[in-house]
Each structure stands twice: as structure tokens, then as C-alpha cells.
Amino acid sequence: MLRSLLFSLLLLPMLANAQLVIEITQGVDDPTPVAVVPFAWEGEGTAPADMAEVVQEDFQRSGQFSPVDRADMLGFPSREEEVFYRDWRAIASEYVLIGRATGEGGQLSLRYELYDVLRQTRIAEGTFAGPVGEARMLAHRVSDAVYEKLTGIPGAFATRLIYVSVTRNPTGKDYYRLTLADSDGARPIVLLESREPIMSPSWAPNGKQVAYVSFETGRPAIFRQVLATGEREQLTNFRGLNSSPAWSPDGNSMAMVLSKDGSPDIYLMDMASRRLTRVTRHYAIDTEPSWMPDGRSFLFTSDRGGRPQIYRYDLRSGLTERVTFEGSYNARARVAQDGRNVVLVHQRDGEFQIAIHDLVSNRLQVLTNTDLDESPSIAPNGSMVLYATKYGDRGILSAVSVDGGVKFRLPARSGDVREPAWSPYMQF
């Protein structure tokens, strides 16, 4: 374990080139103008980060807001008595966000206040506190709070991503890295590096562990890893297929795909005893389990009908029902926290695109217009979908809102990125 942690720490300086870069390609029409005033720093020395800039970039990335350029601001207030509404009406800003941060003893406190320019009143305020090293995450929490106040939807900026990055050395050998980053791609950290493929990363519901498939033993095996310590444990070592780990919503069990008894089927592993229970029994390929939020059933991909489609397995009754019927190919389903919307890979006119399927109305809507999209993962607030795709000759991550109105790309500065997984809401 120590060797693994040391290796990751030594690798950190190299990660500057692996950081994701945000490229917004589409936003909503007539986005709301918001002024994010530089936050005042009231601590010793210099501020650990430009936290107002982090918030401003969050709003920009949402596609729903148009942040005011700092060069256009007529003042930089940090307290209510310094807010002059006429200054903000003059530059057509509908809202003004101010803040001030203090730091002492390694701890940081960030207070924010949000003002409605048209109504000339304060409409939200709050304080977030945490370690100085988490300054960017505190700023993301401000973004979440303000986003919810203005849209009615909880924000998901203070979350994290895991993904697989692949780089090729001069001899033509690929190196795979399981990478952890903030939701905006900042602060990337390598959790695991291998010369063999890494795939299917999955979050534990408490956000403290991840599971994934690694080929480091010479065949696919499922591992779990604790983020805080780097502790790793190999969960499976069976011949054949070991893939698609997915924690249950309560964290007590993990669904996975094994072929140790013949055809690929879905098994449940009790995380306390490591006891396995076979769930599906079919000669077809059953794969890619995704839990429903109540933990009573899960969706999975199967070709038991001749082509890959999404099915639902009920743990109480043991019954299986087909979910998708539109198109000849639907796979890799991921369920939103509302238990209603499901994002998946849908084939249309020979192209693989990201779509959203409503389990109540059975309506399917294609969200992307590229042709090699895969591995969708939905934000914990259900508003955005992260997925892997191709841009030119490189593998990149992209995101699209569930209504298709907002789109942005997250390419790495070098190499390919793939297999994204969006974290649940988490504490630091």
C-alpha cells in the first residue's frame, strides 16, 4: 500500500499535462447575467485560490448564466453597504454575488451574499468552512448554493470525477491511469497506474471508495480502493470475465458480471462476507448492471432478445422485464437519482449516441450528435450527463444537459480520456 501511495505522490508533478480543459460548445439562449465579484481576503498572507473565479467558471460551464467580465465591473464590494445597485443596473447584471474569506490555523471560512439587482435586496447568504487545501471545493459549494437558489435545482459543482487516462510513450507502449479530479477537471490525482488496461470505474455511495476492473494480474479482476489511504483489495480472481462492478445504494453489496459458471451473468457480492449470489441465469450475455435508487431492482444490458437492450431485474420477485424497445441497440444504462430518467448508449443510423429514456412515459430522446459516444454517467442532481467520445483522433470526455441545451468538452492536455464516472454528493 505504501509503495502505491508513494508512486502516486511522485507522479503528481506530471499531472499538469493530464488535467482536463473545459471547452463550452453550446449554452442556453439568453443566459442570465450574474456578477461574481472577486472575494475579499481577510486572512494572513495571500488567498489560497481565486475562489470567485472558480464560482464564475462554474456558472459559465452551466450554460445557464453569463458571468460579467471583471473589467466591466464598476466596483468590488465585499459587504452589503458597499453594493450600489445602480452600478450593476448600468452593466445589465441581474444578480451580484459578493464574498469574503478568512483563514487561520489551516482552516478557511468563506462567506457569500447574493443580491437581486432588480428587486434591490439580498436573497441568499451563507458560510462554508473547511481546510485551506479545499479552497476550490468551498467555492464549488458556494456555486451549488447559488445555483439552487436561482434555478431551484441543487448544484453538482462540489463533486468529483474519476476517469481513465491513456498516454503512449515513445516506444508505443500505453500507460493507463485511474484519475480522480474535481468536477471541473481541476486537481487531478492518479489513483493507479498500470501498463495493463483499467476500466469500469464505479463510486461507492458514500464517495469514499471506488471499484474498477484491472488487468494487472494478466486477466480482468475487480478491485476496490479507499481514496483517503490508497488501500486496495482484489475482490475477484475467477477465470473468464470479471467486470462491471456497481455498488448498491446502501453500500452493502456490489453487483458484478462473472462468467465463471458459463455465460456472463450478474452476481451480487455481500461486501461484509464477500459471499456471492448468482442473480441472472441465461445463455445470453447479461452485463452492465446499474442500481435503481431504492436498491430493490437494477437495470442491465442483455442480448437475450437478439440485440443489446436494457432489462430490469426485481430482487424481490426475481422477475425480469424488458425496458427499451426503440431502436436495435440500447446499452450501458445509468439511472438518475429521481429513479425515472435513465441515460444510455443508443444506436441510430449506425451511430452510437447518448440518449435519455423516461421510465414512466417510455420516451427516448437522443442528446448528442456525435457518432462514437459511450460510457455515460449522470450527475447526482440529474442535470448533466458526462460521457466519453472521439474528437478528431483523440478520446475525450464531453458533457450534455438532460434537455440537450448545454454542451461542453473536457479534453485532456495530452493523451486520451475515457470511462468517466461522476461521484455522488460527498463531504471532504
Side-chain angles (χ1 to χ4, degrees):
M1 181 183 73
L2 180 60
R3 184 173 181 271
S4 176
L5 283 173
L6 179 60
F7 184 75
S8 291
L9 289 173
L10 290 173
L11 197 59
L12 285 177
M14 184 170 58
L15 287 179
N17 291 330
Q19 182 168 321
L20 302 179
V21 181
I22 303 293
E23 298 176 358
I24 300 170
T25 58
Q26 180 178 312
V28 298
D29 294 333
D30 195 24
T32 302
V34 177
V36 183
V37 181
F39 296 160
W41 172 245
E42 300 176 350
E44 297 180 354
T46 58
D50 188 338
M51 290 168 278
E53 183 178 44
V54 173
V55 175
Q56 180 170 306
E57 290 175 351
D58 285 341
F59 289 167
Q60 184 76 48
R61 191 168 73 257
S62 77
Q64 297 172 269
F65 300 99
S66 175
V68 174
D69 192 293
R70 288 183 181 181
D72 295 330
M73 296 181 185
L74 303 180
F76 297 133
S78 62
R79 298 180 184 277
E80 183 172 13
E81 59 268 23
E82 299 170 347
V83 176
F84 300 110
Y85 293 104
R86 64 177 181 274
D87 291 345
W88 305 104
R89 287 197 301 270
I91 59 174
S93 180
E94 294 185 18
Y95 299 95
V96 178
L97 178 66
I98 66 173
R100 52 189 182 274
T102 58
E104 184 177 357
Q107 293 294 303
L108 183 68
S109 178
L110 176 58
R111 176 169 178 77
Y112 73 92
E113 298 173 15
L114 179 66
Y115 294 88
D116 185 317
V117 175
L118 299 180
R119 298 191 314 181
Q120 301 189 42
T121 185
R122 183 174 60 196
I123 59 175
E125 60 181 316
T127 301
F128 294 101
V132 170
E134 294 292 342
R136 290 184 61 89
M137 192 59 75
L138 290 176
H140 288 313
R141 293 195 184 281
V142 171
S143 300
D144 284 347
V146 174
Y147 182 86
E148 182 171 11
K149 179 64 180 180
L150 297 182
T151 67
I153 302 171
F157 303 109
T159 53
R160 308 199 79 180
L161 313 174
I162 49 176
Y163 56 90
V164 177
S165 60
V166 186
T167 56
R168 179 164 294 179
N169 68 12
T171 65
K173 181 65 177 178
D174 287 336
Y175 284 82
Y176 299 83
R177 297 182 179 96
L178 182 65
T179 305
L180 170 72
D182 291 349
S183 66
D184 57 359
R187 303 193 304 167
I189 297 173
V190 169
L191 301 178
L192 176 69
E193 183 186 56
S194 176
R195 292 180 175 85
E196 303 299 330
I198 303 169
M199 57 191 359
S200 302
S202 171
W203 286 91
N206 62 9
K208 296 180 179 180
Q209 299 182 65
V210 295
Y212 49 86
V213 175
S214 173
F215 285 70
E216 64 196 70
T217 63
R219 60 187 179 195
I222 297 173
F223 290 78
R224 71 164 187 91
Q225 183 165 339
V226 179
L227 295 180
T229 66
E231 173 195 357
R232 302 177 68 221
E233 178 187 6
Q234 185 173 337
L235 299 178
T236 64
N237 191 32
F238 301 109
R239 291 185 180 277
L241 195 64
N242 300 258
S243 70
S244 301
W247 256 288
S248 62
D250 61 10
N252 293 331
S253 61
M254 181 184 292
M256 59 184 63
V257 177
L258 306 173
S259 62
K260 66 185 186 68
D261 297 316
S263 61
D265 277 300
I266 297 172
Y267 293 71
L268 297 185
M269 174 180 284
D270 182 277
M271 296 305 290
S273 66
R274 300 296 189 263
R275 182 174 60 88
L276 281 170
T277 301
R278 187 175 181 179
V279 178
T280 64
R281 296 175 179 270
H282 202 279
Y283 60 83
I285 297 174
D286 294 341
T287 187
E288 301 174 342
S290 178
W291 291 87
M292 296 296 293
D294 61 9
R296 297 176 182 176
S297 61
F298 60 80
L299 304 183
F300 65 99
T301 305
S302 179
D303 63 351
R304 59 182 62 193
R307 294 295 303 273
Q309 295 290 343
I310 305 301
Y311 292 78
R312 183 172 182 169
Y313 180 90
D314 187 283
L315 291 168
R316 292 184 175 181
S317 67
L319 297 177
T320 299
E321 63 174 336
R322 183 169 166 176
V323 172
T324 55
F325 292 89
E326 183 174 338
S328 60
Y329 181 102
N330 292 287
R332 194 65 180 266
R334 293 296 180 264
V335 187
Q337 281 300 308
D338 62 8
R340 175 170 180 165
N341 288 319
V342 178
V343 294
L344 49 82
V345 178
H346 173 77
Q347 186 181 26
R348 182 178 65 176
D349 299 328
E351 298 180 342
F352 294 91
Q353 299 170 325
I354 304 302
I356 187 166
H357 176 81
D358 188 317
L359 291 174
V360 176
S361 67
N362 286 323
R363 177 174 176 265
L364 185 142
Q365 177 188 357
V366 175
L367 301 178
T368 62
N369 54 13
T370 37
D371 58 1
L372 288 173
D373 304 333
E374 59 184 17
S375 304
S377 180
I378 194 163
N381 66 355
S383 66
M384 298 291 295
V385 181
L386 188 66
Y387 62 98
T389 189
K390 286 284 189 180
Y391 184 64
D393 60 351
R394 294 178 57 195
I396 69 166
L397 303 185
S398 285
V400 59
S401 60
V402 293
D403 61 3
V406 177
K407 296 178 181 179
F408 57 87
R409 292 191 292 261
L410 297 91
R413 297 186 189 277
S414 63
D416 293 346
V417 281
R418 61 186 67 164
E419 301 270 355
W422 210 315
S423 80
Y425 286 115
M426 55 200 303
Q427 299 297 319
F428 55 81

